[in-house]
Amino acid sequence: PGRPCNSCDGAGLVPASRTIEVDLPCGVEDGVRLRVEGEGNSGRNGGPSGDLYVFLKVKPHPQFSRAGQVISSEVPISVTDAILGKSITVPVVDGEVEISVPPGAQAGQTIKIPRRGAPKLGVEKSRGDHYVKLKVDIPKASSLTREERELVDKLDELLSQRLGSKPKKKKGKGGFFGFGKE
């Protein structure tokens, strides 16, 4: 026998790297381990290659958060949409869907969209739910036009009458619905 070759020191294997494509099943989430058969290290003495294990790190989405199969998001709505209710279009993981904001919706209220969350790992037809949290966008009094301010003051007066209280007296610029700076 001669000397071992310089490339493999007699092991019969030469270190090399290569790029392979891996198909990800639907529903994968952070920390999932995938096994890719036959793509690992070469076997000894001409044996079959081992398996390659890929550990997944899923980037956070700027609009959605995920807990298992449940997807959550937040959507801004106007004060009038919260008071009167409205149908709005919201993004979901695979497109958009129309939901109904009920009249009298409150800030932080959550609306459930059944079966529009993440799929169960490897079972695309089994999906979680998507929860949309309503964020009521209340404008600053300083950003209101004169007409908007007059309408808000009139609404304050009408609501105060209905509730049996006196509307706030205005001393200069007040906050939304007459509350705020005096």
Side-chain angles (χ1 to χ4, degrees):
R3 302 170 145 198
C5 83
N6 291 333
S7 299
C8 69
D9 288 330
L13 301 173
V14 177
S17 63
R18 62 190 171 103
T19 301
I20 63 167
E21 283 192 27
V22 177
D23 290 326
L24 299 179
C26 63
V28 295
E29 56 186 309
D30 200 47
V32 167
R33 180 183 76 169
L34 296 178
R35 182 174 67 121
V36 184
E37 290 185 55
E39 295 294 343
N41 289 336
S42 298
R44 293 183 177 223
N45 299 323
S49 294
D51 296 336
L52 171 67
Y53 288 91
V54 179
F55 294 87
L56 300 179
K57 179 76 175 157
V58 179
K59 290 181 183 178
H61 193 277
Q63 201 169 7
F64 304 122
S65 61
R66 179 178 178 180
Q69 289 178 262
V70 174
I71 300 291
S72 298
S73 63
E74 192 173 83
V75 64
I77 61 170
S78 71
V79 171
T80 54
D81 290 347
I83 294 170
L84 301 174
K86 185 176 185 178
S87 286
I88 60 172
T89 301
V90 296
V92 292
V93 292
D94 57 354
E96 293 181 333
V97 67
E98 192 168 296
I99 63 170
S100 292
V101 175
Q106 300 296 306
Q109 183 172 338
T110 302
I111 297 174
K112 177 181 175 181
I113 308 172
R115 296 175 306 282
R116 294 308 293 258
K120 185 175 181 178
L121 182 60
V123 186
E124 194 169 353
K125 291 184 180 187
S126 174
R127 295 181 66 163
D129 298 325
H130 186 127
Y131 290 89
V132 177
K133 184 177 180 180
L134 302 178
K135 181 180 178 189
V136 179
D137 185 21
I138 300 174
K140 295 186 186 239
S142 61
S143 70
L144 297 175
T145 65
R146 183 185 306 159
E147 182 182 16
E148 291 168 336
R149 176 60 194 226
E150 289 170 2
L151 289 170
V152 170
D153 286 341
K154 181 65 177 171
L155 178 61
D156 179 39
E157 183 181 315
L158 292 171
L159 290 175
S160 294
Q161 287 173 5
R162 190 179 69 152
L163 297 173
S165 62
K166 294 181 182 179
K168 298 278 183 191
K169 296 220 178 209
K170 311 297 184 278
K171 293 181 186 175
K173 292 185 176 184
F176 194 66
F177 287 123
F179 301 101
K181 298 179 185 175
E182 294 279 337

